[in-house]
Amino acid sequence: MSDKRDAYYSRSWKLLSHDKGWWKVLLVMGIADFVPVAGALGTFGYRLEWARLTAWGVDSYPKQKNVRVGECIKSGWRGFVGFLGWAVVWAIVYGGINRLANGNDTVRLLLDIATLFVGVLYLVVALRATVYQNFKAAYQVNRVWDMVKADFGGFAKIVGIGFLIGLIFGVILFVLGLAIFMPVLVNLFFGIGGMTSSSDLIVRMPEILSALSGVFPAIALLCYAASLAKNFEELIVTTAVGLWMRNFDVPHWGASKDPLPATAALPEPTKPQDPTQPPADGPATTPQPGPDGSDGPTIL
């Protein structure tokens, strides 16, 4: 597999930043995440729908106008249901192993590392559910295992990308948090430390509350910055998963339980007809139902 093909971060970044004003998408998603339930599902579905086109082989870019919010929420819900069962199983496995190891630090570290891989696996199964427009496709364990087994190296690289981006933004946000809170904490420490009775605390309470309220706007901005960082990471990683899944010849997938197309050497995929556009010589088509009567992947 070529280095160019493995460059998941650079290719994802190129797609994300291709259109002028791409950063506006991040600003909107950063705000949307504060909307309970619907906001998180909407941004998740938006990422999955973009990655779905990427997996099909279409070099598309984040849509800035005429975004169908309802469809994004629906897609986000489908993806959530798609990985929910996997998350429950992993929670049971994690808790069971951790308990058997009696909280051993080494075992916990290994479990935390494994959790990074499982997090990307959630995106793989959610995207598979999005490709088929059916959450049940996420639970074809054999097909998911076929992809991971065929290109575990690429899968691991995506895990590394997500970890490094999260680490960089985590350090930046930590430093910003210290810059915001440290002066207030120092003042509170010395102020409260000098009190000798509860009456002193009551007298100083307005001053303490004033100091705390003064950082509320900065806290709100820090939370928004954290939301922007999270959405940037998730856009890059989800698109990288779409690029990785593209290697398995998505346009020629059959029913969700059918074996993957022969991709032993993972040859460079040919670019299929853009699923958002009808072919020049006739109306748009979708794959025919598989032998078991189930539909093939959807390109709506």
Side-chain angles (χ1 to χ4, degrees):
M1 202 176 295
S2 67
D3 292 338
K4 181 179 179 181
R5 182 178 187 148
D6 280 348
Y8 291 116
Y9 175 78
S10 61
R11 293 164 67 195
S12 297
W13 166 248
K14 185 176 180 180
L15 292 173
L16 174 62
S17 61
H18 181 274
D19 289 343
K20 184 178 180 181
W22 63 270
W23 48 270
K24 297 177 183 177
V25 172
L26 277 178
L27 297 181
V28 174
M29 294 179 74
I31 295 174
D33 267 352
F34 289 100
V35 179
V37 184
L41 289 178
T43 55
F44 186 35
Y46 179 88
R47 290 186 283 115
L48 288 175
E49 286 299 321
W50 178 33
R52 177 176 66 90
L53 294 177
T54 303
W56 267 95
V58 180
D59 289 335
S60 61
Y61 318 110
K63 196 173 182 179
Q64 298 184 31
K65 297 180 180 180
N66 302 318
V67 176
R68 293 182 292 180
V69 177
E71 290 298 319
C72 288
I73 294 175
K74 183 178 180 181
S75 183
W77 172 253
R78 185 186 298 112
F80 170 74
V81 175
F83 77 74
L84 181 60
W86 294 78
V88 171
V89 171
W90 176 242
I92 294 172
V93 171
Y94 185 103
I97 294 176
N98 194 45
R99 177 168 295 185
L100 289 173
N102 198 25
N104 181 274
D105 290 339
T106 301
V107 173
R108 183 172 297 178
L109 175 61
L110 292 175
L111 286 172
D112 290 341
I113 293 174
T115 299
L116 296 175
F117 285 81
V118 173
V120 175
L121 182 65
Y122 292 163
L123 290 177
V124 171
V125 298
L127 182 53
R128 181 175 166 82
T130 306
V131 167
Y132 280 96
Q133 301 286 284
N134 189 334
F135 75 89
K136 295 178 182 178
Y139 294 99
Q140 292 291 342
V141 180
N142 49 353
R143 300 290 78 88
V144 175
W145 171 245
D146 287 344
M147 289 190 291
V148 174
K149 179 176 63 174
D151 187 18
F152 182 76
F155 182 87
K157 286 183 179 181
I158 297 174
V159 174
I161 289 169
F163 174 75
L164 288 177
I165 295 176
L167 180 63
I168 292 170
F169 280 126
V171 170
I172 293 173
L173 291 171
F174 177 75
V175 172
L176 289 176
L178 282 181
I180 292 171
F181 290 110
M182 190 56 68
V184 177
L185 292 176
V186 170
N187 289 335
L188 289 176
F189 176 79
F190 285 107
I192 295 176
M195 297 178 187
T196 58
S197 65
S198 59
S199 60
D200 290 339
L201 178 61
I202 295 174
V203 172
R204 296 286 299 277
M205 186 58 68
E207 180 181 342
I208 294 173
L209 292 176
S210 176
L212 291 175
S213 64
V215 299
F216 283 164
I219 293 174
L221 287 175
L222 185 64
C223 290
Y224 182 57
S227 180
L228 293 177
K230 179 184 75 72
N231 277 289
F232 176 83
E233 176 190 351
E234 291 177 343
L235 280 167
I236 290 292
V237 173
T238 307
T239 306
V241 169
L243 290 168
W244 176 80
M245 193 175 286
R246 179 190 291 192
N247 297 337
F248 299 99
D249 198 11
V250 173
H252 292 96
W253 283 5
S256 62
K257 71 176 185 179
D258 289 349
L260 298 174
T263 54
L266 292 180
E268 290 292 333
T270 57
K271 184 174 180 180
Q273 169 69 35
D274 184 342
T276 64
Q277 301 292 333
D281 57 350
T285 60
T286 56
Q288 296 300 311
D292 60 350
S294 59
D295 292 334
T298 302
I299 55 173
L300 296 177

